[in-house]
Amino acid sequence: MAAPGQRPHQGSGAAGTERRLAALAPGSARQSSDPDATPQAADASWSGNEDWAREHWDRRLARGDAQGILDDAAAVGIAHVLTRASGQQLSTLADAARYGHQPALARRVLLSMRERFPRSAESRDAAFFLGGLAEDATDSGGPAAAMEGYDRYLSETVHGRYAPQALGRKPVMTQKLNGNGCAGARAYG
């Protein structure tokens, strides 16, 4: 509720969400084909919380709706989401991009998380996921970049939830870099 003398936030609530989504719907005059564009309707009412998404993204991702999350982000504008979403929202968007086989978008979101929230748990986890993306990509450094991501993750959080996986991937990356079977000794020694 608005304080005395102030107007209520006009874009809040289900009706506000429906109006914003309707303005972004296919055929709308405000819709842009550029996924980085910030639609005027969303920009006018976007408050940095989840009112622009139909439902909390983490719940949607748990149901397997990665594409719906990607569609929401594209409708609002990827660049806009990257600069305004919370760390948790960015983490969920990065997961949706990875699950939706959009590694370039996932990388972009993860890098944004690292820049905007450098001391957060989501940022530390992003280092691990950037390593995984580098492992799978041919154009982002491959094993060397993956090793760098895993090393960065481990230096930031030795006992993090992905530490066992990062430690397990290091010998594999060392073997790929050196091309021999003695990766384990070099990765840990």
Side-chain angles (χ1 to χ4, degrees):
M1 180 163 222
Q6 290 182 336
R7 291 177 45 196
H9 178 60
Q10 292 179 311
S12 63
T17 300
E18 290 304 317
R19 280 193 303 276
R20 282 188 300 285
L21 291 172
L24 300 172
S28 167
R30 293 185 178 185
Q31 183 187 20
S32 170
S33 61
D34 179 3
D36 289 338
T38 303
Q40 295 169 356
D43 189 46
S45 62
W46 203 76
S47 62
N49 61 27
E50 296 169 356
D51 68 346
W52 45 269
R54 290 186 197 127
E55 181 183 351
H56 290 270
W57 282 354
D58 55 346
R59 282 185 258 159
R60 291 175 67 187
L61 191 63
R63 287 196 319 264
D65 188 17
Q67 188 58 52
I69 294 165
L70 296 172
D71 292 344
D72 277 358
V76 174
I78 297 298
H80 193 70
V81 171
L82 293 179
T83 61
R84 301 289 301 271
S86 70
Q88 179 58 47
Q89 289 169 316
L90 290 176
S91 179
T92 304
L93 177 58
D95 288 344
R98 288 184 311 112
Y99 302 154
H101 307 287
Q102 295 188 27
L105 176 59
R107 184 174 192 282
R108 188 173 168 198
V109 174
L110 293 167
L111 290 171
S112 176
M113 286 172 48
R114 298 234 355 122
E115 182 179 318
R116 289 188 54 220
F117 307 103
R119 290 175 175 54
S120 71
E122 290 92 352
S123 177
R124 291 187 296 270
D125 290 351
F128 172 79
F129 290 117
L130 285 165
L133 288 170
E135 243 186 272
D136 296 335
T138 57
D139 62 345
S140 64
M147 183 75 86
E148 182 180 319
Y150 298 141
D151 285 341
R152 186 174 301 121
Y153 173 77
L154 291 167
S155 73
E156 292 175 6
T157 178
V158 176
H159 302 291
R161 63 180 157 178
Y162 301 111
Q165 291 94 325
L167 287 168
R169 296 308 300 160
K170 286 181 60 158
V172 175
M173 294 303 99
T174 301
Q175 184 174 13
K176 285 184 178 184
L177 287 168
N178 296 335
N180 62 38
C182 299
R186 273 191 283 296
Y188 295 104

